[in-house]
Amino acid sequence: MDRDCISSLPDEILGRILSSVPTKTAASTSVLSKRWRNLLSLVDSLSFDELNEEKEEEEDAMSSSHAFRDFVKKTFALLSNSPIKKVSLSHLPFYYSDNCRVYHWIYTAMNRGLLELHLHAYAYVLLKRELLTSNTLVKLTLSGEYYLEVNRVYFPVLKSLSLLFLEISYSDYHQLLDGCPVLEELFIADDDHSNPPCCGAIVKSESIKRLVVFIDLPDSQEDHDSMLLDTPSLVYLDYTSYVFEEHDVVRLDLLVEARLDIRLWESTSDYEEEEEEEEEEEEEEEEEEEEEEEDDDDDDDDDDDDEPNMPIFGDVTKLVAGITNITTLYLSADSLETLHFCCESMPVFNNLHNLSIESDKEQGWQVMPILLMSCPSLHTFVIKGLVHRETNKCGDACACIPGKHKEEEEVCCLLTCQVKVLEISDYIGSSQELKQMRHFLGKLKCLESVKVSVDADDDENNDKSELLRDNLLNLPRISSNCNIQFL
């Protein structure tokens, strides 16, 4: 005979279990037995999603909306004066009166000592200023079609704020941040609307320690004129965006970790061809000077009518210079390309111990030589994917174009690199990858540990991975202390 072990648990434990599932699911347990009939009153976390419930009921939108409102109303009535710690509400208002009901639900929760509030609107909702004041709220999320009436904001204990896909003016956004004097975490997302970037473009706060920004507005280059971070307490930065015409940061001395995914607005293939042509011309001129075969009459080229490419849009020089105190840096494949084309000079990262990069077959490693030479204390180098676009500008950081750095062997950026741990993921063992691994193992003098992630999900892949392992283990290593591990 099966034993109902869950029903024998204490009320406090059952209340926690029911608080961790959608409130409609928690309410449905009341029909299980007498033991469960009144347990919903022990729930202190409520989660309502109108659209999900509409799909489950398979009713017309209007009837489903009425049923949703009735259910929320009855739930709050059932909880009576019980404390409420967390409310998650995703709703689709049909009439202005629906907004009034939402106001009442939020007021009710706030009067019960609410700690977390997560609101998502599937259609336009005005949030009145009375809802932007709470002496207990520590975590707030606003997303979707909310419009804020920010005349007075005060969240004296709010620690975490998420503003996701909101259309909000800068003045309202500024007042909102000013009303959160002890805010430590700020999460911002701008996407899928025609307005210029606001929340993610300018962040000014004395208290924020952790900042995550995601901006994806590919049709508004003209609005990406300037970006500013003024966050003296910041220790963690995760920034994703198309490049701004100017990135500026001030007072980031406490920053420890940065993750940058900054994309260019245009393809760089034409610019790379132009750079390669300039290099070839310089080499030809040097050869002519050495051979003393200059001929002024033959200097005219057929390319006089070719117009040079316009400068790449964007400048991240100040941003890079402002994060030199970090110990951990992550760069996407887009960021590597942006640093090459949009950073006038590379500062020295004296404290950087951990560097992670991501590669892409469409983007090059042009910035890698100068970046590695600018990290004198680098300990761990993590690479997701070794395959990248082959260019003459990758320098001696890679081996994709044979012979391009033989003459500069004595100043190879890898020979002077202090990396002790090299981690490679997404390794499939192509000829380009094996060549790159040979280059790393033959140049990194201080290597102690190499960790390579090789997939082996089935027998065929298992046989292949054995071959990949053998190929890597047989490569010569300049460091006698280097051990290779497979993950």
Side-chain angles (χ1 to χ4, degrees):
M1 182 177 180
D2 294 335
R3 183 182 177 185
D4 183 2
C5 297
I6 296 181
S7 294
S8 63
L9 293 173
D11 286 358
E12 181 183 358
I13 302 299
L14 292 177
R16 292 180 183 177
I17 294 174
L18 294 178
S19 295
S20 66
V21 300
T23 303
K24 189 171 184 180
T25 302
S28 66
T29 63
S30 62
V31 300
L32 294 177
S33 66
K34 291 182 179 180
R35 174 77 177 92
W36 292 83
R37 185 170 299 169
N38 298 315
L39 289 181
L40 187 62
S41 61
L42 301 176
V43 169
D44 59 12
S45 295
L46 303 177
S47 177
F48 307 102
D49 190 333
E50 185 169 356
L51 284 195
N52 282 348
E53 294 182 12
E54 177 184 326
K55 293 177 182 177
E56 293 174 4
E57 297 293 339
E58 295 185 352
E59 301 175 350
D60 65 90
M62 191 66 69
S63 298
S64 178
S65 181
H66 285 301
F68 174 79
R69 294 198 302 267
D70 290 342
F71 173 68
V72 176
K73 180 180 178 181
K74 290 178 181 178
T75 301
F76 275 104
L78 178 63
L79 293 178
S80 184
N81 293 320
S82 301
I84 301 177
K85 294 181 179 179
K86 177 181 177 181
V87 171
S88 298
L89 173 63
S90 300
H91 60 110
L92 176 63
F94 281 93
Y95 305 108
Y96 181 77
S97 58
D98 293 342
N99 294 343
C100 296
R101 294 186 179 91
V102 172
Y103 300 156
H104 177 70
W105 298 337
I106 298 174
Y107 291 146
T108 301
M110 285 185 170
N111 289 332
R112 308 272 184 84
L114 189 65
L115 300 178
E116 289 189 34
L117 178 60
H118 305 276
L119 298 176
H120 178 77
Y122 293 111
Y124 174 85
V125 175
L126 171 65
L127 274 186
K128 290 188 175 181
R129 59 181 177 272
E130 291 85 355
L131 297 176
L132 297 176
T133 299
S134 170
N135 292 323
T136 61
L137 206 61
V138 297
K139 192 170 187 178
L140 173 63
T141 299
L142 300 175
S143 64
E145 302 296 322
Y146 280 110
Y147 177 78
L148 307 185
E149 189 178 278
V150 190
N151 292 329
R152 180 179 178 272
V153 180
Y154 190 52
F155 293 114
V157 296
L158 191 71
K159 295 295 184 65
S160 178
L161 174 64
S162 298
L163 304 175
L164 311 178
F165 317 119
L166 294 178
E167 296 187 19
I168 181 174
S169 68
Y170 175 72
S171 59
D172 286 342
Y173 160 67
H174 184 67
Q175 288 188 58
L176 182 57
L177 289 190
D178 284 348
C180 307
V182 297
L183 187 65
E184 294 183 356
E185 297 181 337
L186 178 60
F187 302 89
I188 295 171
D190 283 332
D191 189 11
D192 291 334
H193 59 79
S194 58
N195 288 341
C198 171
C199 302
I202 301 178
V203 181
K204 300 174 70 174
S205 170
E206 296 288 333
S207 60
I208 291 175
K209 297 179 180 179
R210 183 179 179 88
L211 175 62
V212 178
V213 175
F214 174 82
I215 303 175
D216 187 19
L217 301 172
D219 299 321
S220 62
Q221 178 177 343
E222 66 280 1
D223 295 316
H224 286 64
D225 50 357
S226 63
M227 165 269 204
L228 171 65
L229 298 182
D230 185 358
T231 49
S233 300
L234 196 66
V235 295
Y236 176 87
L237 172 66
D238 186 342
Y239 204 93
T240 299
S241 174
Y242 282 91
V243 65
F244 281 76
E245 186 173 7
E246 182 178 9
H247 289 255
D248 199 2
V249 298
V250 294
R251 301 191 297 170
L252 293 186
D253 295 339
L254 299 182
L255 190 65
V256 174
E257 180 176 350
R259 300 176 63 87
L260 302 179
D261 183 8
I262 303 178
R263 290 153 284 173
L264 297 175
W265 293 92
E266 58 261 86
S267 170
T268 60
S269 57
D270 291 341
Y271 293 85
E272 289 172 356
E273 291 176 2
E274 184 177 282
E275 288 179 342
E276 291 176 1
E277 289 176 0
E278 290 177 354
E279 284 185 353
E280 291 175 359
E281 290 178 0
E282 290 176 359
E283 290 176 0
E284 289 177 359
E285 290 179 1
E286 290 176 359
E287 291 177 0
E288 290 176 356
E289 290 176 359
E290 290 175 0
E291 298 174 0
E292 297 181 354
E293 296 179 358
E294 298 179 359
D295 186 357
D296 295 339
D297 294 335
D298 296 332
D299 282 346
D300 294 334
D301 297 325
D302 295 332
D303 298 333
D304 289 345
D305 295 333
D306 293 342
E307 295 184 1
N309 289 312
M310 294 292 292
I312 293 276
F313 180 90
D315 189 348
V316 297
T317 306
K318 293 181 180 179
L319 170 62
V320 177
I323 62 173
T324 53
N325 287 333
I326 57 175
T327 62
T328 301
L329 175 62
Y330 167 84
L331 297 172
S332 68
D334 285 306
S335 292
L336 291 177
E337 201 166 51
T338 300
L339 288 181
H340 172 64
F341 286 100
C342 300
C343 187
E344 294 181 358
S345 61
M346 185 66 65
V348 177
F349 295 87
N350 286 312
N351 300 323
L352 191 66
H353 298 151
N354 306 291
L355 173 63
S356 298
I357 68 166
E358 186 173 350
S359 300
D360 187 278
K361 63 181 180 180
E362 301 298 329
Q363 291 152 320
W365 278 9
Q366 302 98 314
V367 77
M368 287 304 299
I370 188 172
L371 178 60
L372 290 176
M373 294 181 71
S374 300
C375 305
S377 304
L378 191 62
H379 178 275
T380 302
F381 187 21
V382 180
I383 306 176
K384 183 179 181 181
L386 290 174
V387 177
H388 58 278
R389 180 193 288 179
E390 298 183 355
T391 75
N392 283 325
K393 287 288 186 176
C394 293
D396 47 28
C398 80
C400 57
I401 299 181
K404 66 184 176 184
H405 46 75
K406 286 183 179 179
E407 296 179 358
E408 300 180 3
E409 196 80 15
E410 67 279 1
V411 292
C412 175
C413 66
L414 298 182
L415 288 172
T416 60
C417 191
Q418 301 299 306
V419 168
K420 290 181 172 58
V421 179
L422 177 64
E423 298 182 13
I424 308 295
S425 63
D426 294 354
Y427 185 82
I428 61 175
S430 66
S431 59
Q432 182 182 352
E433 290 174 300
L434 187 61
K435 187 186 301 183
Q436 185 61 51
M437 288 302 297
R438 179 187 296 273
H439 189 60
F440 281 146
L441 294 176
K443 302 294 183 185
L444 293 171
K445 294 181 177 181
C446 300
L447 264 186
E448 297 177 359
S449 175
V450 176
K451 302 175 183 180
V452 182
S453 176
V454 179
D455 293 330
D457 296 331
D458 50 45
D459 293 338
E460 181 178 351
N461 282 338
N462 192 40
D463 293 339
K464 181 180 178 182
S465 66
E466 288 295 331
L467 178 60
L468 298 184
R469 290 185 177 95
D470 291 340
N471 289 339
L472 286 175
L473 290 172
N474 290 328
L475 293 176
R477 310 170 204 176
I478 192 173
S479 172
S480 59
N481 298 322
C482 179
N483 293 313
I484 300 179
Q485 305 173 39
F486 297 96
L487 306 177

